[in-house]
Amino acid sequence: MPQLFHVRITLKDLPVPVLRELAIPEDYSLYEVHLCIQVAFGWDDMAAFEFVRKGLTVGVEPSFSGDGITHDGHRYRHADEITLRQIVGQVGHAATYTYDFARLWGAELRLVGKLGEGAELPTCLRVEGVAPPETLDHKEAFGLLIDAATDPSHDLHVLALSEFGFDHELVAPEPEDVTEHLHEMFGEEVGAYADDSDDDDEGDASQDWGWWDPSKYDERMRLRVLREEVSEELRERVQGHTAAERSASLLAALKGA
């Protein structure tokens, strides 16, 4: 049975503290950890994400699968291939979590303890602060909006409610409530993401987007990246003012390569 890791996820760049502490099995992939974070903050997994620590970026781009990409000693790997233990293996270790590259929700994920072997499902240990809606565009106004949304006499009350959405929870949930949602998410194995938006609604496996299964990634993605890197290097080595000179220089560079 895997060991449970006690992790603290603290949102950055907010005027008020917002954090969640979770107990997550150490062997959970970072895709599963991402889903734990989404559930903990009440978000809907509508955008891309990545985890970063020194020398390693973990995301969901197809080119991150398998051996991934290495550039200047920095490795890029897919979120299905790296576990929680591999990114924060020792107490005190931390990684950066970024969600939605348009709004740049940032968080620190820090390992604050190891709880020994325990339940196979994640649980919530601590909740502090109301989570902002993931569609909020102005982080710096979050504190003001919370005050206005919870005070019907506030001049900005209606505006704040519209910013949050009228169904957004304006009080922090209890840890037990978050745990219940986590168990609903992970009570069954998290499978590959399937696009079931077609009108025929057949649920055909051929509609699987394949983001979470490294065996399905197209090798052409990595080949394209390699070609781009080679082309850039060759361009730097090609010299000459005329087409003939550049062609001769390119041929020499290719022979040298």
Side-chain angles (χ1 to χ4, degrees):
M1 184 175 293
Q3 193 171 30
L4 286 174
F5 275 18
H6 178 178
V7 297
R8 179 184 298 131
I9 305 102
T10 306
L11 290 183
K12 299 178 179 180
D13 304 321
L14 291 175
V16 294
V18 180
L19 64 87
R20 304 289 186 264
E21 293 187 8
L22 307 176
I24 303 176
E26 61 177 335
D27 60 352
Y28 264 32
S29 72
L30 289 189
Y31 169 53
E32 292 171 310
V33 175
H34 156 72
L35 291 180
C36 287
I37 295 172
Q38 291 289 301
V39 171
F41 288 118
W43 292 346
D44 292 324
D45 190 22
M46 298 190 301
F49 68 92
E50 70 177 15
F51 292 86
V52 178
R53 69 156 205 225
K54 185 177 180 181
L56 176 66
T57 293
V58 181
V60 292
E61 291 295 329
S63 56
F64 288 4
S65 64
D67 293 332
I69 302 171
T70 300
H71 180 71
D72 289 341
H74 192 94
R75 293 182 299 139
Y76 297 82
R77 296 296 299 274
H78 193 275
D80 248 1
E81 302 171 333
I82 301 296
T83 65
L84 176 61
R85 180 181 61 250
Q86 289 174 298
I87 201 165
V88 286
Q90 299 297 324
V91 173
H93 283 185
T96 297
Y97 170 78
T98 302
Y99 170 65
D100 188 343
F101 297 120
R103 295 181 176 87
L104 291 177
W105 291 110
E108 179 194 72
L109 184 148
R110 181 174 295 274
L111 179 61
V112 297
K114 298 182 180 181
L115 305 178
E117 295 184 355
E120 296 182 357
L121 296 178
T123 60
C124 182
L125 304 174
R126 179 187 171 200
V127 170
E128 181 174 344
V130 176
E134 61 188 297
T135 55
L136 185 66
D137 290 317
H138 304 289
K139 300 184 184 75
E140 66 280 0
F142 178 59
L144 172 63
L145 291 172
I146 281 287
D147 292 339
T150 54
D151 181 4
S153 65
H154 199 288
D155 292 341
L156 300 177
H157 179 66
V158 175
L159 174 62
L161 289 179
S162 66
E163 284 288 327
F164 282 117
F166 288 90
D167 60 346
H168 187 76
E169 292 291 339
L170 297 176
V171 294
E174 295 296 327
E176 295 79 8
D177 296 331
V178 177
T179 294
E180 181 180 351
H181 290 302
L182 287 168
H183 287 185
E184 289 176 0
M185 168 67 73
F186 292 97
E188 297 181 3
E189 183 178 355
V190 178
Y193 185 86
D195 179 9
D196 56 359
S197 60
D198 291 345
D199 293 336
D200 57 13
D201 196 28
E202 294 178 354
D204 192 335
S206 65
Q207 295 296 322
D208 187 344
W209 288 14
W211 288 359
W212 320 124
D213 184 352
S215 68
K216 299 179 181 178
Y217 297 143
D218 194 341
E219 289 290 337
R220 290 177 297 179
M221 173 65 76
R222 270 182 278 175
L223 287 174
R224 188 185 74 183
V225 172
L226 179 61
R227 290 191 186 106
E228 289 173 352
E229 291 179 349
V230 171
S231 297
E232 183 63 30
E233 181 180 346
L234 287 175
R235 278 195 293 271
E236 294 175 358
R237 295 168 60 180
V238 171
Q239 300 176 354
H241 297 290
T242 68
E245 290 173 338
R246 289 193 295 272
S247 296
S249 180
L250 175 59
L251 182 60
L254 287 170
K255 289 181 178 178

